[in-house]
Amino acid sequence: MRIVHTARELRGLASRPSRRSGDRASRAVVMTMGALHEGHLALVRAAREAADEVVVTIFVNPLQFEDDEDLERYPRTLEADCALLEPLGVDVVFAPSLDEVYPGGPPVVTVHAGAIGDVLEGAHRPGHFDGVLTVVTKLLNLTQPDLAFFGQKDAQQVIAVRALVRDLSIATRIVPVPTVRDADGLALSSRNVFLSPVERTRALVLHRALQAADGAARAGRDLETVLAAGRHTLSEVPQVEVDYLAALDPVTAEELTPGYVGEAVVAVAAQVGATRLIDNVVTRIGPVLPEAPAEA
């Protein structure tokens, strides 16, 4: 495994030969901000299975943080991260400095997330998705991957990145990977380390609320009933300050309106102590579809 810190070093690395006879070598990228956990490693394993060469980027992107305090307290654990990545067969770790990614300071030209960046997570964190899409664009240009793997836990981010590559004609396929959870159901996040034991117990209500909403959806309930089921569960732990529980269109991230039928992402965000957590579940709203008859 090579660890490189500059774009010049990255460009100097030759792609691995293809494992598939007659095919060109393929490259996958997994973009992270470090402080790796099993959720990140699941992305790396999926990338390793799909591509001949795997590049993991580790860069704490200041453009997607709301304040300097949150940016400064984000854990930086490069040595430990690399120790986790090497046994997984990662070919390259690209860990650039701030000056390498943004030479001369904050970029003059950035990517605007449009309407996707104005709702839900974007409304609570103004400019967040502009920062995400700007650094994703830069890292896609630097790493030139065929595939890029993103965790479904950040559902709105997946929607935004898919819109980015579609609308700007970027030749990379975005591959979402299901959310990885601890045994108690809490979605893995680098921010979980900031939870006290009591706060962690309270945080489990997010997953229970999504399970309640998903259960109502699977029973064929309408959108209002699905959301009511999730909100009722959230109300059982009043110490958790809920920002939103909403159903999103899986392509546009727009909030769904009553009467909607089809696939949906039910997303939740809440403040647990000083830590903000997000989670989601992909489900289907509307009448239960009959099973197709078995073929004779």
Side-chain angles (χ1 to χ4, degrees):
M1 184 175 79
R2 295 283 303 275
I3 303 171
V4 300
H5 302 282
T6 68
R8 177 177 293 182
E9 290 175 290
L10 188 63
R11 287 192 296 267
L13 298 177
S15 295
R16 289 177 52 173
S18 173
R19 294 174 295 167
R20 298 178 288 276
S21 177
D23 290 349
R24 69 179 179 86
S26 60
R27 173 181 280 184
V29 67
V30 175
M31 300 180 190
T32 82
M33 293 203 299
L36 302 185
H37 51 65
E38 185 57 37
H40 298 109
L41 303 186
L43 301 180
V44 174
R45 292 188 188 100
R48 177 74 284 164
E49 186 68 24
D52 301 297
E53 183 181 41
V54 175
V55 178
V56 175
T57 68
I58 298 177
F59 175 67
V60 181
N61 177 34
L63 297 190
Q64 63 195 75
F65 285 83
E66 291 182 85
D67 57 64
D68 292 340
E69 183 179 346
D70 197 23
L71 173 62
E72 288 304 314
R73 78 170 187 153
Y74 195 90
R76 274 84 164 170
T77 55
L78 179 59
E79 185 175 344
D81 293 340
C82 290
L84 290 173
L85 293 172
E86 187 159 20
L88 301 185
V90 170
D91 299 283
V92 179
V93 173
F94 179 47
S97 67
L98 180 61
D99 287 340
E100 183 69 21
V101 177
Y102 301 122
V108 175
V109 177
T110 61
V111 178
H112 179 47
I116 293 174
D118 295 333
V119 298
L120 298 177
E121 205 58 22
H124 285 271
R125 303 169 69 184
H128 171 73
F129 286 108
D130 292 353
V132 169
L133 296 187
T134 297
V135 79
V136 166
T137 302
K138 293 207 69 163
L139 292 173
L140 288 175
N141 285 333
L142 288 167
T143 59
Q144 294 290 301
D146 303 286
L147 307 169
F149 288 75
F150 288 84
Q152 180 61 36
K153 185 182 82 70
D154 297 305
Q156 196 172 348
Q157 175 176 279
V158 171
I159 293 170
V161 172
R162 280 180 155 168
L164 170 77
V165 300
R166 179 188 68 236
D167 293 348
L168 300 187
S169 301
I170 298 173
T172 299
R173 182 162 65 90
I174 305 304
V175 184
V177 176
T179 301
V180 179
R181 302 181 181 277
D182 273 333
D184 58 10
L186 187 66
L188 296 188
S189 169
S190 300
R191 297 179 184 272
N192 290 354
V193 298
F194 301 127
L195 296 169
S196 71
V198 171
E199 289 169 346
R200 183 185 172 89
T201 299
R202 291 172 179 166
L204 299 179
V205 75
L206 273 68
H207 182 46
R208 294 200 304 272
L210 293 174
Q211 287 180 308
D214 186 44
R218 291 178 181 274
R221 307 304 184 196
D222 60 19
L223 178 62
E224 298 94 317
T225 305
V226 167
L227 294 177
R231 289 167 181 156
H232 175 75
T233 301
L234 288 171
S235 71
E236 296 171 355
V237 186
Q239 299 90 342
V240 171
E241 299 178 21
V242 179
D243 287 338
Y244 61 78
L245 184 139
L248 321 185
D249 184 294
V251 175
T252 66
E254 292 178 353
E255 283 198 61
L256 302 177
T257 56
Y260 177 85
V261 173
E263 188 175 274
V265 178
V266 179
V268 63
Q271 195 80 17
V272 185
T275 305
R276 192 168 186 278
L277 300 176
I278 62 172
D279 201 351
N280 70 88
V281 64
V282 179
T283 191
R284 185 187 182 281
I285 309 294
V288 178
L289 298 176
E291 293 186 8
E295 295 184 6

